[in-house]
């Protein structure tokens, strides 16, 4: 009897010991897990930083914005938040296109741009009225659209992104710079295009140097221009330097004094930016802004070069959804048909 009791005691002791070991292991495991979880959370927070990308979706060429967005989304694992900007009467079309296509997976906000802010700031007489589209000026007002992000990407609608947008977002802005752009003299292959197509790549092509206000800026007319179709911007610095106010001031002066060059290489939104950001912008890797694809219906880049390009920009008259255009295949592979059937590709009668 005594022996049995003793065995029972030993068994009970062993049982308690086992439970203790299990509990200890569990606690230890939990604490290890906690640490891992904490690390994970930190890592993923770093990786998952939200990348705001602003794209305008204009009536009549909304398919452009949708293709651009599709290309960005399909080529990255980054956490992208799209700000799709439109005029009031197009907002429901934009929403429908996104929500009734494969784009329904993207994170997006539809933002209305009120063209009233441009009143008195645009000269109506220009050779290319399409450049007066109010949405061309959205890039001047980025801080009005974006509130919770410091760093922002703005892209023209006629681009296709082939690289990981995270790389563009990681573009370093120098302290005191509100934005980064691609310079128009940065790539030898671009020089070739510029020469062959008779394009302007200096301030002279955008500003009228016969005007006193322009001469007084003291900017050499041969200074290399930049293209504001791809922008990485710092909203803190932008607000601090009151960039929007400065741009508006030059728009108003242009209305009064006609300061832009009549050839207007790249559109009316470029000229004021060239003035305001002169000597005060950072640089975007040239491969992140391969442009002039819309300049002529003939001037083509080599296939190899186009494959290396991270971002293609069809600036110019020959848009890849229209006919004739160059390298429309590279654009069309990202095209998403309009669920409402309004937007149609023009492939020259075929
Ligand atoms: C878990 O984190 C605590 C506090 O941060 C730390 O003291 C401990 O050493 C960590 N343990 C492990 C296993 O990393
Ligand atoms: C943006 O500008 C502010 C003010 O100059 C600066 O403190 C901040 O580090 C900049 N942020 C980025 C992402 O460059």
């Amino acid at each position: 009897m005594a022996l049995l009791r003793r065995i029972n005691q030993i068994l009970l002791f062993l049982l308690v010991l086992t439970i203790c070991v299990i509990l200890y292991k569990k606690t230890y495991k939990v604490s290890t897990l906690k640490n891992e979880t904490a690390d994970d959370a930190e890592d993923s927070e770093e990786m998952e930083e939200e990348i705001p990308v602003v794209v305008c979706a204009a009536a009549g060429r909304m398919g452009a914005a949708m293709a651009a967005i599709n290309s960005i989304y399909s080529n990255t694992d980054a956490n992208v938040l799209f700000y799709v900007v439109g005029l009031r009467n197009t907002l429901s079309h934009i929403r429908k296109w996104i929500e009734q296509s494969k784009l329904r997976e993207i994170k997006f906000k539809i933002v209305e741009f009120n063209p009233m802010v441009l009143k008195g700031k645009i000269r109506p007489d220009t050779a290319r009225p399409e450049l007066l589209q109010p949405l061309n000026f959205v890039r001047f007002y980025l801080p009005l659209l974006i509130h919770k992000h410091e760093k922002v990407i703005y892209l023209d609608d006629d681009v296709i992104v082939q690289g990981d947008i995270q790389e563009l977002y990681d573009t370093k802005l120098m302290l005191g710079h509100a934005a980064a752009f691609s310079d128009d003299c940065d790539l030898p292959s671009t020089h070739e295009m510029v020469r062959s197509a008779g394009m302007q790549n200096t301030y002279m092509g955008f500003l009228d140097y016969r005007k006193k206000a322009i001469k007084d800026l003291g900017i050499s007319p041969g200074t290399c221009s930049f293209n504001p179709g791809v922008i990485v911007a710092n909203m803190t610095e932008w607000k601090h330097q009151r960039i929007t106010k400065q741009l508006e001031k030059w728009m108003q002066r242009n209305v009064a004094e006609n300061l832009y060059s009549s050839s207007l290489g790249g559109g009316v939104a470029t000229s004021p930016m060239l003035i305001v950001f002169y000597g005060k912008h950072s640089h975007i890797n040239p491969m992140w802004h391969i442009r002039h694809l819309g300049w002529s219906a003939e001037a083509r880049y080599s296939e190899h070069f186009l494959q290396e390009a991270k971002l293609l920009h069809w600036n110019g008259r020959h848009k890849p959804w229209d006919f004739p255009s160059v390298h429309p295949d590279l654009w069309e592979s990202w095209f998403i048909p309009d669920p409402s059937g309004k937007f149609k590709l023009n492939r020259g009668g075929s």
Side-chain angles (χ1 to χ4, degrees):
M1 222 39 199
L3 183 66
L4 212 59
R5 182 170 279 185
R6 185 134 197 110
I7 287 175
N8 261 345
Q9 271 175 353
I10 289 173
L11 278 177
L12 188 67
F13 173 74
L14 280 176
L15 185 68
V16 169
L17 191 69
T18 313
I19 288 172
C20 282
V21 166
I22 287 174
L23 274 180
Y24 171 76
K25 272 198 172 158
K26 259 207 166 141
T27 325
Y28 181 72
K29 206 169 179 183
V30 165
S31 86
T32 322
L33 268 181
K34 256 190 193 150
N35 281 9
E36 276 171 11
T37 320
D39 283 346
D40 271 354
E42 238 168 59
D43 274 1
S44 64
E45 213 169 82
E46 225 170 79
M47 277 168 41
E48 288 289 319
E49 187 187 353
E50 203 163 56
I51 300 184
V53 176
V54 178
V55 182
C56 294
R61 53 189 272 175
M62 209 174 273
M66 299 303 153
I69 291 170
N70 187 25
S71 71
I72 295 164
Y73 178 71
S74 303
N75 285 312
T76 188
D77 289 328
N79 178 14
V80 180
L81 173 60
F82 291 96
Y83 286 82
V84 190
V85 187
L87 301 179
R88 172 168 295 177
N89 57 353
T90 60
L91 301 182
S92 63
H93 191 189
I94 296 173
R95 182 169 298 282
K96 189 169 176 198
W97 204 322
I98 293 175
E99 289 179 349
Q100 297 184 12
S101 71
K102 66 171 277 202
L103 291 181
R104 74 176 70 87
E105 295 165 12
I106 69 170
K107 264 202 329 194
F108 69 99
K109 281 190 180 153
I110 294 178
V111 185
E112 178 186 343
F113 182 69
N114 185 345
M116 282 308 286
V117 299
L118 300 174
K119 201 156 183 270
K121 302 188 183 80
I122 301 178
R123 284 181 80 87
D125 57 330
T126 174
R128 288 175 62 190
E130 76 271 21
L131 296 175
L132 295 181
Q133 234 288 340
L135 294 177
N136 275 327
F137 301 93
V138 161
R139 70 195 99 192
F140 291 9
Y141 296 94
L142 292 177
L144 293 187
L145 308 172
I146 308 246
H147 305 291
K148 61 173 185 152
H149 298 94
E150 177 163 77
K151 202 176 183 186
V152 172
I153 293 177
Y154 167 88
L155 299 177
D156 274 353
D157 62 352
D158 48 359
V159 307
I160 287 296
V161 171
Q162 306 191 129
D164 183 340
I165 197 79
Q166 179 80 48
E167 261 179 66
L168 179 62
Y169 189 69
D170 290 342
T171 299
K172 290 264 178 305
L173 298 194
M174 271 174 61
L175 206 63
H177 285 178
F181 307 97
S182 276
D183 279 327
D184 284 334
C185 320
D186 56 8
L187 272 184
S189 50
T190 314
H191 288 211
E192 198 40 58
M193 288 283 274
V194 168
R195 264 197 302 275
S196 66
M199 229 180 283
Q200 291 290 354
N201 62 348
T202 61
Y203 273 53
M204 213 176 351
F206 296 88
L207 300 171
D208 185 350
Y209 272 81
R210 293 167 306 181
K211 299 286 158 65
K212 183 171 184 308
I214 298 301
K215 274 190 237 159
D216 286 352
L217 288 169
I219 303 173
S220 159
T223 304
C224 182
S225 51
F226 58 81
N227 185 307
V230 176
I231 310 176
V232 182
N234 180 334
M235 293 298 98
T236 310
E237 198 56 48
W238 190 293
K239 283 184 265 187
H240 178 69
Q241 295 184 35
R242 298 167 162 273
I243 297 287
T244 302
K245 272 268 159 289
Q246 292 190 56
L247 291 166
E248 286 186 324
K249 184 191 86 179
W250 283 104
M251 289 166 86
Q252 276 156 342
R253 286 198 70 170
N254 178 56
V255 170
E257 303 169 48
N258 199 9
L259 301 175
Y260 306 162
S261 156
S262 52
S263 66
L264 261 190
V268 282
T270 306
S271 307
M273 293 198 99
L274 289 179
I275 298 174
V276 169
F277 286 100
Y278 171 70
K280 269 189 302 203
H281 64 270
S282 298
H283 302 279
I284 289 174
N285 173 351
M287 293 312 279
W288 268 98
H289 194 173
I290 299 306
R291 52 193 175 278
H292 309 312
L293 275 78
W295 209 262
S296 87
E298 287 96 37
R300 303 172 66 88
Y301 283 111
S302 80
E303 293 302 324
H304 173 71
F305 181 70
L306 289 169
Q307 267 167 25
E308 304 272 292
K310 308 282 190 176
L311 182 150
L312 304 170
H313 186 186
W314 278 262
N315 58 316
R317 290 164 197 259
H318 298 277
K319 301 303 185 192
W321 53 90
D322 268 334
F323 181 85
S325 60
V326 296
H327 308 296
D329 47 318
L330 289 177
W331 183 87
E332 199 170 333
S333 59
W334 302 107
F335 174 62
I336 293 175
D338 182 359
S340 70
K342 282 185 214 154
F343 180 92
K344 290 193 178 68
L345 296 179
N346 176 3
R347 289 294 172 245
S350 65

